[in-house]
Amino acid sequence: MDIKKIYEDANALLEGHFKLSSGNHSQFYLQSAKVLENPKTAKLLADELAKEIKSSGIDIDTVCSPALGGVIAGFVLATALDKRSIFTERVQGEMTLRRGFEIKKGERVLICEDIITTGGSALEAANVIESLGGEVVGFAALANRGFCKREGSDTKAKPNCKLPKNKPFFALADFSFEIYTPDECPMCKEGSEAVKPGSRGN
Ligand code: ZN
């Protein structure tokens, strides 16, 4: 499966001059919502990811996603795995489990995101599950930004990866591209202004 082509065809791999949520700048941005707006494509990706997870042999009861970005990816993955689908969400900045969702003691939970960059939100969701007595058995995402090491990839995790090293991380592909601090951004040096993805129609 050529996931890069799927992202390109869905106009989900944006090229420009972007200001990321971390404050850093990048020439590229992945807009996974654009890939998932087509339910058939979403199913195709989830089936492929589910195949990889099943073949690893890990036992899962539930898929949990951090809202908002991970919710659709988590739901389609849970559908493909035939497991329960829940999500955590931020309340005044703090990740929580709401809406009547419950975790049983020892329930085996896979945390699913659309994209893992450093894995910060995924780790917060995992901490919520574990604080409620669940067991986080692994992490999954459609795409990996190349800071964390996914199963089957020979690239190494970078120091800013927040995912625990002792748990598997499944993703369909690595999308590694440079990020720059504003001071060293070559596009800023050329005089262009970074835009926040999601603004100006992207
Ligand atoms: Zn810049």
Side-chain angles (χ1 to χ4, degrees):
M1 175 181 276
D2 188 347
I3 186 172
K4 285 193 177 84
K5 187 170 185 318
I6 291 173
Y7 269 73
E8 280 166 6
D9 289 350
N11 292 321
L13 179 57
L14 307 177
E15 193 170 354
H17 181 191
F18 299 109
K19 185 178 182 178
L20 308 176
S21 55
S22 59
N24 292 323
H25 293 187
S26 173
Q27 191 181 355
F28 298 97
Y29 185 75
L30 288 175
Q31 186 58 275
S32 273
K34 284 292 291 172
V35 170
L36 298 170
E37 78 178 354
N38 181 334
K40 285 197 179 112
T41 308
K43 182 180 184 306
L44 195 75
L45 295 171
D47 285 349
E48 188 72 17
L49 187 56
K51 211 189 316 173
E52 201 182 309
I53 293 166
K54 281 179 192 164
S55 72
S56 78
I58 64 166
D59 193 14
I60 297 161
D61 299 313
T62 296
V63 176
C64 177
S65 298
L68 185 67
V71 170
I72 298 172
F75 184 79
V76 287
L77 180 63
T79 307
L81 290 167
D82 193 19
K83 302 295 179 191
R84 189 164 78 102
S85 174
I86 62 173
F87 58 89
T88 59
E89 60 198 293
R90 284 185 201 284
V91 178
Q92 289 170 350
E94 197 176 332
M95 201 67 91
T96 53
L97 191 69
R98 302 181 73 201
R99 300 175 196 265
F101 291 144
E102 286 173 0
I103 291 291
K104 292 193 188 79
K105 194 160 172 52
E107 186 168 341
R108 299 169 65 85
V109 179
L110 178 78
I111 306 293
C112 180
E113 267 279 24
D114 53 354
I115 293 173
I116 290 283
T117 305
T118 60
S121 299
L123 181 65
E124 286 176 66
N127 290 340
V128 170
I129 295 302
E130 288 186 337
S131 74
L132 296 168
E135 184 192 347
V136 172
V137 293
F139 295 82
L142 299 177
N144 176 32
R145 277 284 282 102
F147 298 102
C148 296
K149 186 190 177 313
R150 70 185 169 96
E151 294 291 297
S153 167
D154 47 17
T155 60
K156 278 197 186 134
K158 302 219 162 64
N160 57 356
C161 174
K162 297 190 177 86
L163 298 185
K165 288 186 178 64
N166 60 345
K167 301 205 168 149
F169 164 43
F170 305 93
L172 293 173
D174 294 322
F175 286 83
S176 304
F177 33 76
E178 292 291 322
I179 57 171
Y180 310 98
T181 62
D183 285 349
E184 61 187 18
C185 173
M187 293 165 287
C188 284
K189 284 189 181 129
E190 284 171 13
S192 91
E193 197 189 327
V195 296
K196 226 175 146 217
S199 62
R200 299 194 193 176
N202 53 47

